[in-house]
Amino acid sequence: DVKVTQSSRYLVKRTGEKVFLECVQDMDHENMFWYRQDPGLGLRLIYFSYDVKMKEKGDIPEGYSVSREKKERFSLILESASTNQTSMYLCASRILAGGKNEQFFGPGTRLTVL
Amino acid sequence: EDKVVQSPLSLVVHEGDTVTLNCSYEVTNFRSLLWYKQEKKAPTFLFMLTSSGIEKKSGRLSSILDKKELFSILNITATQTGDSAIYLCAVVDRGSTLGRLYFGRGTQLTVWP
């Protein structure tokens, strides 16, 4: 079974702090994604990566950056956290081969910025 | 503007009822449509649909796709309290980078005992 893990389930940070959210997958998937999920808005794509050191902006990249130095790890960085970044953050991974499009999700990190 | 629209946004039923969740989409180069169930944690995969008219079934859940009318439905028969969750619909756009997924806002289903 694919396993996607995220470094924290709950995180509380102060405005202006730099925040790192880590995601690790153990199935050698090429593609990895970061979403945020807010009530009534569904999942919105922040950034994605199709391979090591490759990244693409999603729909709401402002205020975020990402890093993919190793295939199994995709980090989301909030350079200077703000209260409007309080949200549930979900990481996902997907294998590229075989026409499969199923994304496997991590358990999520609920971030609160005070 | 949302590329994937789910309805209703919220639904409350009693155990034993049958529910139908709707997902319509507007994606130029459709590849596939996926349904996920999300309880108080990560979304879990339910179905992937690529062809019109072919029903996918898993226990009390079933889903079908209409590529002409650009929608899919997810049916749950004889609902149970364990079916309470957010149901997410996502569409893969073949024309976009990586064949990315576009998610709808979800339908919150609550099943009362």
Side-chain angles (χ1 to χ4, degrees):
Chain A
D1 276 354
V2 176
K3 193 169 181 187
V4 181
T5 57
Q6 294 183 229
S7 50
S8 307
R9 292 299 303 275
Y10 299 94
L11 206 54
V12 179
K13 294 290 182 181
R14 295 200 179 276
T15 301
E17 282 193 83
K18 191 168 185 175
V19 182
F20 291 87
L21 302 182
E22 301 279 326
C23 175
V24 178
Q25 49 94 4
D26 65 358
M27 284 300 290
D28 203 36
H29 285 176
E30 293 91 351
N31 304 163
M32 296 187 75
F33 304 80
W34 273 107
Y35 296 90
R36 64 177 281 177
Q37 185 175 28
D38 301 288
L41 296 179
L43 271 71
R44 292 182 291 167
L45 182 64
I46 305 171
Y47 265 97
F48 58 100
S49 168
Y50 44 93
D51 211 336
V52 177
K53 296 192 186 295
M54 304 291 193
K55 60 186 180 186
E56 289 281 340
K57 291 180 181 179
D59 299 321
I60 50 164
E62 297 78 18
Y64 303 94
S65 61
V66 290
S67 172
R68 185 123 182 248
E69 295 296 318
K70 292 185 178 181
K71 194 172 188 179
E72 67 270 19
R73 189 180 297 269
F74 191 34
S75 302
L76 180 70
I77 302 151
L78 287 67
E79 294 290 342
S80 177
S82 62
T83 54
N84 63 13
Q85 292 177 310
T86 292
S87 186
M88 169 68 90
Y89 289 87
L90 289 164
C91 174
S93 74
R94 179 183 69 180
I95 194 164
L96 193 58
K100 293 180 183 293
N101 287 299
E102 180 189 347
Q103 292 189 359
F104 296 88
F105 286 87
T109 295
R110 188 166 291 283
L111 172 68
T112 302
V113 182
L114 301 176
Chain B
E1 195 169 320
D2 289 1
K3 288 179 182 283
V4 180
V5 177
Q6 292 186 245
S7 64
L9 287 180
S10 181
L11 187 57
V12 180
V13 299
H14 285 100
E15 268 193 322
D17 288 350
T18 293
V19 298
T20 299
L21 310 183
N22 301 288
C23 175
S24 63
Y25 61 90
E26 232 179 89
V27 166
T28 310
N29 293 297
F30 174 87
R31 181 177 214 148
S32 55
L33 185 145
L34 290 82
W35 284 98
Y36 285 86
K37 177 183 181 182
Q38 185 180 22
E39 296 170 88
K40 291 188 187 302
K41 45 187 183 342
T44 52
F45 174 78
L46 292 174
F47 299 113
M48 184 170 79
L49 303 155
T50 54
S51 302
S52 274
I54 299 174
E55 186 183 54
K56 292 274 182 104
K57 201 168 168 62
S58 175
R60 295 175 294 103
L61 276 68
S62 64
S63 184
I64 198 159
L65 174 68
D66 186 329
K67 287 167 75 173
K68 185 179 176 186
E69 299 298 329
L70 309 183
F71 78 92
S72 173
I73 58 171
L74 175 68
N75 276 321
I76 309 175
T77 58
T79 52
Q80 301 170 358
T81 55
D83 295 326
S84 296
I86 297 173
Y87 290 84
L88 296 166
C89 172
V91 171
V92 180
D93 182 353
R94 183 198 299 270
S96 69
T97 309
L98 262 193
R100 60 161 287 183
L101 272 68
Y102 290 94
F103 280 88
R105 299 185 183 208
T107 293
Q108 172 77 61
L109 174 65
T110 304
V111 182
W112 286 356

